[in-house]
Amino acid sequence: MAITGGTSKNKTYDTAGLKVPVSLGVIMDGNGRWAKKRLLPRSAGHRAGAENLKELCRNCGNYGVKYLTVYAFSTENWSRPQGEVDQLMKLFVEFFDRYDPELAEEGIRVRFTGDIEHLPENIQKVCREGEERSKDRPKMQLIVAFNYGGRREIVHSVQSIAKDIKEGRLQPEDITEDIISSNMYLPDVPDPELIIRPSGEMRLSNFLLWESAYSEFWVSDTLWPDFGYEDLTQAFRDYAKRDRRFGGLSKKDTEEN
Ligand code: IPE
Ligand code: IPE
Ligand code: MG
């Protein structure tokens, strides 16, 4: 049955033939290549990329995604030239200044995941205020992975567990997968069923390592600043055809046995 989730700017959000994940991850890659193709500085690509995030939020919210985690800055991205790092920090602050009213209108709550404590104070303030201001918005959670690294998140979890053991609240033999999950940065956010990577790279680049154990992966050649409604719709169409077996057998094979 077709479920029509509404329209935005002449787009239809009919989910017939699509599968919309509850939790979606997007690796926003390809800003530099987008700029290079247009003989523009990389900074122009980052600006266009930030602009496009607003569009992705609107489309995901209208399709019914509940948690959208976007990779905006990795723990490895500090190795870029200082000027580029500074611009990415500046864009991050500007994004929430400029677009929060639009996110509010769309009912989008904002949260952050990553090593936020080690970010400059002005960035931490944006995170705190953005989370506080948006906490009652009902439609979708936008989770921005900033200064995020999957390995660093696992280290964070291990350190919290070690502290619990040291202080006598937990025994080593009681550590389970659930306990490791519950010590991740945002334990209430479901693991992403689908991860989309624009720009053709077939790797996770340290994104959601623990949470992506059984995520479906969808790669597109479209560069992130150009990644729009059509690409997202195609990803959901392809995702509908995936057979998620989780190590078991598909339904069809189970019935034959
Ligand atoms: C993604 O675009 C933005 C960040 C990693 C912050 P890139 O800057 O990695 O773009 P490419 O991969 O060089 O095209
Ligand atoms: C991944 O992209 C990080 C973000 C999109 C924020 P990168 O461009 O940093 O990844 P690599 O270097 O190609 O693996
Ligand atoms: Mg890149």
Side-chain angles (χ1 to χ4, degrees), residues 28-34 42 46 72-73 77 80 84 88:
M28 304 189 292
D29 191 25
N31 296 350
R33 276 162 281 179
W34 183 92
R42 291 179 61 83
H46 292 316
F73 191 89
N77 286 147
R80 295 190 179 201
E84 182 165 345
L88 288 165

Side-chain angles (χ1 to χ4, degrees), residues 27-29 71-74 77 80 197 201 203 205:
I27 301 174
M28 304 189 292
D29 191 25
Y71 205 7
F73 191 89
S74 74
N77 286 147
R80 295 190 179 201
R197 183 159 189 161
E201 242 64 75
R203 54 177 173 260
S205 301

